[in-house]
Amino acid sequence: MKTLTIRRPDDWHLHLRDGEVLKGVIADTSAHFARAIIMPNLVPPVVTTSDAAAYRERIMAALPSGHRFEPLMTLYLTEHTNPDDVEAGKKSGLIHAVKLYPAGATTNSHGGVRNLEKVMPVLERMAKIGLPLCVHGEVTTPEVDIFDREAVFIETVLEPLRKRLPELKVTMEHVTTSDGVNYIKSSKANLAGSITTHHLIINRNDILVGGIKPHYYCLPVAKRESHRLALRAAATSGDSRFFLGTDSAPHLDPLKECACGCAGIYTSVNTMSCLAHVFEDEGALNKLEAFASLNGPAWYGLAANEQTMTLTKQETQVSFPSKRDTAAGLITVFDPGFPLFWNVTG
Ligand code: DOR
Ligand code: ZN
């Protein structure tokens, strides 16, 4: 049996939802992760510091007793966001980032940003106070092919914005392409990227070949194999600009298994087992700690966790529930498509 002990990991991009779904999923995160950056795309979204404070209380109330977990709250950027409220949120220690959803890019993003010009005062204030902008990096222009939307976003939105406001810290979330990886690697400062578990494992064939697999559909959508390989190389390189953001995004099964299924893959349950498998495959188990536990806190200006996590490679396959049963209904757990042998044992 092989074991690996790392600092306790954090998740730098997580959807916890609200109500019964929140209650049904939170333990899957808090069992393994000390902290997580909490996405604000609720209905209605988490727009103000007071919305975020109230949401944080609902999260803490849903936490099982005995679990220690710190939700790192974010604000959903709108064209009406008030820079003073953002600054007050950061100063109070509650707000750790602001999230930019281009309007229409993904789940509950219709209240997002249509015209970047309108949010420049907020972005300028964030640059001044050192608050990171988390970016859903896809254009929504109908003429742009869905598989090209990340690359076009980098060229037409992100690079011009970063030229205009070089002091703004930007997290390119859920990077899915070699274009994204190369762009992050080429930047000298103030740019980092999170990578999901599932984008290290699936490519677009997994979604489409042999029948459509709604539980592999997420946004940004998984790309061709060469992109998956670029993501694996970046994640396992130890480069401090890349870190884990699972983008674990639970949707009830009927909302995914239908004619117009929602985007999102629920990976919180087995992410650490999947990652250990991927890093071992790449001969890079010694880089898992950097990716899951060190690079993220360094980017967000926080200390790495003092506690540790031990992973053990078992002789027999580790079994995970295939569905998470919540009071609101069933949520399918990510199936990596191969047996898992690494288990979280301490
Ligand atoms: O697949 C996704 N699901 N991508 C996102 O950007 C949003 C998320 C969700 O909220 O379901
Ligand atoms: Zn997300």
Side-chain angles (χ1 to χ4, degrees), residues 240-302:
S240 64
R241 293 170 291 190
F242 297 99
F243 45 80
L244 174 64
T246 65
D247 198 10
S248 184
H251 288 280
L252 300 175
D253 279 354
L255 299 175
K256 287 195 66 75
E257 298 167 2
C258 59
C260 183
C262 294
I265 302 182
Y266 185 53
T267 54
S268 295
V269 180
N270 54 7
T271 271
M272 291 312 298
S273 297
C274 289
L275 289 177
H277 184 108
V278 166
F279 277 65
E280 186 179 41
D281 261 6
E282 297 291 331
L285 269 177
N286 61 341
K287 298 288 181 4
L288 180 59
E289 184 178 45
F291 181 68
S293 315
L294 303 178
N295 297 346
W299 169 251
Y300 281 98
L302 299 168

Side-chain angles (χ1 to χ4, degrees), residues 26-50:
I26 188 166
D28 288 330
T29 288
S30 58
H32 292 166
F33 296 92
R35 299 170 288 196
I37 284 269
I38 308 299
M39 285 298 117
N41 62 333
L42 305 181
V43 187
V46 179
V47 172
T48 64
T49 294
S50 90

